[in-house]
Amino acid sequence: MELSEFEALLGCLLLPDNEKRNQAEKVYEKLKQDKLEEITILLLKVCTITTTEQLRSIAAILLRSLFARSEERLWYKCSNSTKEIIKEGILQRIEKETSNYVRGRLGDVLVVLIVNIQGSGSSWPQAFQFLATLSQSNVVELRELVFSMYNQLTSYIGLPFKPYYPTLSQLTKMGLTDPQSIKVRVNALNANSNAVTFCKQKSEYDLFSPSLKLMLDVLVQCLNNSDESNSLSCLQSFIEIEFMSSAFLKPVTSDLILLCIQIASQANIISSVRQASVELLVTISESRPSIINKNRDVVRKLVEILLNMLLESSDDDDLLKWTKKEEDSRDYVSMAEEYLDRVSFALGGETLLPVIIEYASVLLKNENWKNRRTGLLAISQIGEGCTQSMKPILSQILSMVLSCCRDSDPRVRWAAANTIGLLSTDFGPKFQKHFHKLVLPELMILMDDFNNPRVQSRVAKSLVNFCHQFDSQLLEIYLDNLMNKLLLMLQKSSRALQEVAVSVIGAVADCADTKFAKYYDVVVPILKTILREATTNEMKSLRGKAMECITCIGESVGKTKFFNDAKEVMEIIQKILVEGMKDDDPQKDSMLQAWARICRCLERDFIPYLPYVVPPVFQAASIPPDVVTRSRSESNDEEEGWDYVDIADQRVAIHTVALEEKTAAIDMLRCYADIMKDAYFPWVEQTSKLVAPLAEFFFNEGLRKASVSTFPSLIRSAAEYNKINPSEANYSYLLKLFEYHFKYLLQAIYEEKDLEVLVIMIEAFHQSISALGSELMTDEQVRLSIDTIVYVVHFLTENREKRATNEESVQDELKDADEDRKEEEVEHELADIIGALLKNNPKQFLNVFPVVHQFVGSLIHPKFPASDRALAVCIFDEIIEFCKSPEIVNTIFKDCFQYVLQCATDANHALRQASLYGVGLCAEKIGPLFSPFITESLQKLLSVINDPKSRTDNYGTPTDNAISSIAKIIKFQGKHVNVNQLLPQWLSWLPTTDDPIECIVVHGQLCDFIETHKAVLFGDSFERLPLVLKVFAEIVGTEYIDEAVSKRILYILNQLSSLPATLLSTAFNTLSQDQQLALKSFMNQSSKT
């Protein structure tokens, strides 16, 4: 094609006439496919020869677009000769171009070429020399272009740019002091910022450190000139550095903090710049809290700034607009709330809480409604981050909040209800137990505020939070009044409020459990009417809420009551499916949840529905992950609903909304497999092939967790099918299924770096071994399991060492505590794997015991951290409890018990708990070999229980285990101790409420002793009967007992009824009103069932 002809084609691409332009675009696309190299050369010629600026501009834009689209990889399809022509032509033309705009577009082409060349592992030193020369040009426009390109390049190619850091650091230092152009100075700052975020070594940071003060000067210059755009750009760069490489900013941190405080405190500075300065302050608080914490004046200033953000917002000044405002709308107030939440996690309660309480106390007494609301919002946002510090003064804080529940302004009442809801979540269930008499009456008064439906809506949502962790017996006191108000709200309110009312009814039913049955015949017909009649698009959300609510009720009241209605609900949902649903239909998620609840409720009676519900769920789970990879040199615009990950020179976009739906569907399949067990077997193979590869899906941790969590459910389904159908049993398939998932799971564990996901993977590993059944693992699989445990421990050690060498992470106690918690969970699951191997594969375990023995022996060395030593003790516990070889048990007892006993009073709570539990196990399992250690063991156990801190945080769970272990010594080593003295003392420590598993054991032990040592336990004159009744009152109807213990307690109470009435009455009257109510309710409920 001739140049003139090509120029004419480019001209047509610029025409306003859509038809002609579209035709030209088709011709251009065809030429690009058929004659790539010719088109490339023609575009370069237009850029360099054509006199029309508009054509040169479009040619440069097209040339950039040609090589920027990473999925087409057109640059790599060009011949070497064409590449050289393009490279040389662009370098020559940039300096000669007279139009600043065209020169900028040519610069974009050069950036894309460098990205392609460097990203492929090649190099183009001439380009960097060219840029270095131009950066010192006397022409200011050329310097602006070059530093703009440096800014792009350091962002796009990152690591491949590192060899040029020494030169870049010198050039940007010059650029930061450019005498003519703020553009040069700002782009130099941004280039430095990008480069620093890729630095790993001190020597790399040292290249850019001399420019730090100059970078700060550039920010100040932009602020002094009221240059909003460049001020924001500079602040964003500092935020990025602080987030990625906070140590780099250490020399100027104090100046940076003071500058941010100054910016954020000045009302005349544009809000976007002020907000960016607050973001930087908060980011510094998160990455280096010690710097903020040690300067109380800075803490006060930061709090003042955040409170002023809440006060300055004018979004809610118009009461009518506030009433109609969407609850979850994003505004200035919500940003300030988010900052308070982040700061509370960063600084902790010891520093932040006194300042917040001081300011909130003043604000809540102010005559202006906005001040009172601000005080409440501040309290509401710090609860999760300041939990430990707030617990001792929670009563005082709640009193401040409750005083606003009857405020004259609905916006303040809304904030009070909102704060109660968040406190219920952050401090439940103890918040509900201690304060229900204060909280619920106030919330129910606010439910009557029909003039302010937004207040009613918030109250209802707070009730959902409150009920989530509330005791069903205590809720019963309020049920009639609460349900009357909810039914009134359901019948007389707007659709939006009806949706909330339906959600609250579901939450109340979930909490009330079987006690909701008395309202069933009133509520369920209303909900079925909604399901049948709410068919318009506007009503679909309400219908979805009704699906969730009616199935919550069904789960609570049980299959007998719900069975016929469950069938009707399933028929309605199936009809909805037949009618079809759009992708964004709000009923979709509700339908999945409803199916799961009906499945749990009906159990085996749900089997006929599986052929109808599994296919649509499987279809949703099978949607391919929407992942798009582009060059970082392409558009950086981010869309809502997508997450972005930068890897080298590539930007990966992940459609998170689609992945969330896929993840939810996989969770639903797991639910069906869990509940239906053998009945799910027809879909096991299909589900297995879908979920197993997703264990290594790098881009989304939620999908990885959902995938691996499904593994044991599928294995269990196949194993159960074999048991129930022995004539069709296929153990060969079961073993292949296990091996298939075993390989994927091990590979995923070795690749996983996210501790939260690793916990789920190790748990799935443990459960898969348990699900497989006895004696079915091969020697090789058992060996690989042990190897994997050893690998994970080494990985955790390396993880800790990395944190220890990171100065800022060490200072951030909250992050470290979270990492420690996750590591403890991982190691706890590792010990459970040993237990599963011992229970299910004892013969194969004999072969690996020498490795395990050596591993445990090495971990108990003092040089290892407490969490590793806790793992060693946990493995010891598993062997004592489950190993069937007396030789192995006695060997590890003799080698390790003295160390276990020593750790029973260790400062680390996980190690202490494992050791205390192990003492009880040894008392039960070891027999006569344990007797020489009884005196020392009791001394250790008693010192733990009698410690003044024994019931405080982190001490409660080990204390419960110590109490349980003393019971085991009494039961199994009783002839060596004074039971008459020890047993009454043991009773005085009950109930136990911290360890959810051991609580059930302890309260079962109480029943044992009542049966075997009745006289000792109650006393000769039944003087300890009130104490026994008090313990029972505290545990009946709670998670502290299971069904078996509950039945034993009921039997004991019935037996006690034969005692003299005066004795019983006297003992009963020593109980509190709540305790008496709990026992009466338990007896009445039990008599009905």
Side-chain angles (χ1 to χ4, degrees), residues 607-671:
I607 291 174
Y609 297 109
L610 283 177
Y612 302 100
V613 302
V614 172
V617 178
F618 195 87
Q619 184 179 7
S622 302
I623 297 171
D626 198 351
V627 179
V628 179
T629 304
R630 295 190 179 95
S631 167
R632 290 180 69 187
S633 59
E634 295 179 57
S635 173
N636 279 334
D637 293 340
E638 297 188 355
E639 299 177 43
E640 189 175 348
W642 290 73
D643 276 348
Y644 297 85
V645 179
D646 291 332
I647 304 174
D649 66 331
Q650 301 293 304
R651 165 159 282 205
V652 181
I654 306 106
H655 193 192
T656 51
V657 175
L659 283 181
E660 285 168 7
E661 293 176 0
K662 183 180 180 74
T663 301
I666 290 173
D667 276 333
M668 208 59 58
L669 294 175
R670 177 190 54 77
C671 174

Side-chain angles (χ1 to χ4, degrees), residues 220-286:
V220 172
Q221 292 161 21
C222 295
L223 292 167
N224 289 339
N225 293 332
S226 300
D227 185 341
E228 178 188 3
S229 176
N230 283 323
S231 294
L232 280 173
S233 180
C234 293
L235 283 167
Q236 190 57 50
S237 285
F238 277 110
I239 292 168
E240 192 70 18
I241 296 173
E242 183 63 40
F243 183 74
M244 298 292 292
S245 309
S246 57
F248 176 74
L249 292 177
K250 194 172 183 179
V252 297
T253 298
S254 297
D255 293 337
L256 200 55
I257 290 171
L258 293 176
L259 180 60
C260 287
I261 290 173
Q262 184 181 352
I263 299 167
S265 302
Q266 293 185 32
N268 61 321
I269 295 179
I270 195 161
S271 61
S272 58
V273 175
R274 292 174 63 199
Q275 186 188 331
S277 69
V278 176
E279 175 66 39
L280 179 51
L281 271 175
V282 172
T283 306
I284 293 172
S285 302
E286 290 172 321

Side-chain angles (χ1 to χ4, degrees), residues 728-758:
E728 301 175 25
N730 187 342
Y731 284 95
S732 174
Y733 173 74
L734 175 61
L735 295 177
K736 286 179 182 177
L737 180 71
F738 178 80
E739 176 67 12
Y740 179 68
H741 288 287
F742 185 80
K743 287 181 177 178
Y744 269 108
L745 193 51
L746 258 60
Q747 183 64 31
I749 288 170
Y750 276 88
E751 293 177 359
E752 188 56 60
K753 305 304 176 191
D754 186 321
L755 278 177
E756 190 170 328
V757 181
L758 189 61

Side-chain angles (χ1 to χ4, degrees), residues 584-832:
D584 60 349
D585 193 312
Q587 299 172 106
K588 286 181 71 174
D589 185 57
S590 299
M591 181 184 70
L592 295 176
Q593 297 296 330
W595 279 343
R597 292 193 189 97
I598 294 174
C599 177
R600 286 194 292 267
C601 182
L602 299 190
E603 297 174 320
R604 304 293 292 183
D605 288 313
F606 190 78
I607 291 174
Y609 297 109
L610 283 177
Y612 302 100
V613 302
V614 172
V617 178
F618 195 87
Q619 184 179 7
S622 302
I623 297 171
D626 198 351
V627 179
V628 179
T629 304
R630 295 190 179 95
S631 167
R632 290 180 69 187
S633 59
E634 295 179 57
S635 173
N636 279 334
D637 293 340
E638 297 188 355
E639 299 177 43
E640 189 175 348
W642 290 73
D643 276 348
Y644 297 85
V645 179
D646 291 332
I647 304 174
D649 66 331
Q650 301 293 304
R651 165 159 282 205
V652 181
I654 306 106
H655 193 192
T656 51
V657 175
L659 283 181
E660 285 168 7
E661 293 176 0
K662 183 180 180 74
T663 301
I666 290 173
D667 276 333
M668 208 59 58
L669 294 175
R670 177 190 54 77
C671 174
Y672 293 148
D674 264 345
I675 299 166
M676 295 292 96
K677 297 183 172 61
D678 63 290
Y680 191 79
F681 182 72
W683 296 277
V684 164
E685 179 73 10
Q686 187 181 16
T687 309
S688 178
K689 289 180 178 178
L690 169 68
V691 300
L694 296 174
E696 299 174 271
F697 186 73
F698 170 78
F699 300 110
N700 188 274
E701 62 274 11
L703 195 55
R704 296 200 301 280
K705 289 193 286 188
S707 165
V708 298
S709 296
T710 311
F711 290 7
S713 304
L714 298 175
I715 294 166
R716 191 177 296 110
S717 176
E720 288 291 323
Y721 183 84
N722 282 346
K723 288 180 185 176
I724 293 174
N725 303 278
S727 62
E728 301 175 25
N730 187 342
Y731 284 95
S732 174
Y733 173 74
L734 175 61
L735 295 177
K736 286 179 182 177
L737 180 71
F738 178 80
E739 176 67 12
Y740 179 68
H741 288 287
F742 185 80
K743 287 181 177 178
Y744 269 108
L745 193 51
L746 258 60
Q747 183 64 31
I749 288 170
Y750 276 88
E751 293 177 359
E752 188 56 60
K753 305 304 176 191
D754 186 321
L755 278 177
E756 190 170 328
V757 181
L758 189 61
V759 171
I760 303 299
M761 288 182 171
I762 302 297
E763 183 181 11
F765 193 4
H766 154 227
Q767 291 179 353
S768 295
I769 293 171
S770 298
L772 180 63
S774 299
E775 305 291 351
L776 292 176
M777 287 181 71
T778 65
D779 288 342
E780 177 67 5
Q781 288 169 341
V782 172
R783 184 189 64 77
L784 287 172
S785 300
I786 299 301
D787 289 348
T788 302
I789 291 173
V790 174
Y791 160 76
V792 172
V793 171
H794 290 159
F795 166 75
L796 295 179
T797 301
E798 291 175 4
N799 201 51
R800 289 189 206 102
E801 289 172 354
K802 287 177 183 176
R803 297 209 317 268
T805 56
N806 186 331
E807 178 186 353
E808 309 311 327
S809 292
V810 170
Q811 293 171 349
D812 190 342
E813 294 179 5
L814 286 169
K815 288 181 180 177
D816 276 356
D818 188 50
E819 292 284 288
D820 290 343
R821 177 187 60 79
K822 291 173 185 174
E823 287 173 355
E824 285 177 9
E825 289 180 23
V826 170
E827 295 191 316
H828 179 77
E829 290 295 336
L830 292 177
D832 284 345

Side-chain angles (χ1 to χ4, degrees), residues 61 234 423 476:
I61 290 170
C234 293
L423 291 175
E476 191 175 13

Side-chain angles (χ1 to χ4, degrees), residues 1002-1016:
V1002 169
H1003 300 136
Q1005 291 166 339
L1006 173 60
C1007 296
D1008 290 342
F1009 291 139
I1010 289 174
E1011 293 170 1
T1012 59
H1013 296 76
K1014 185 175 181 179
V1016 177

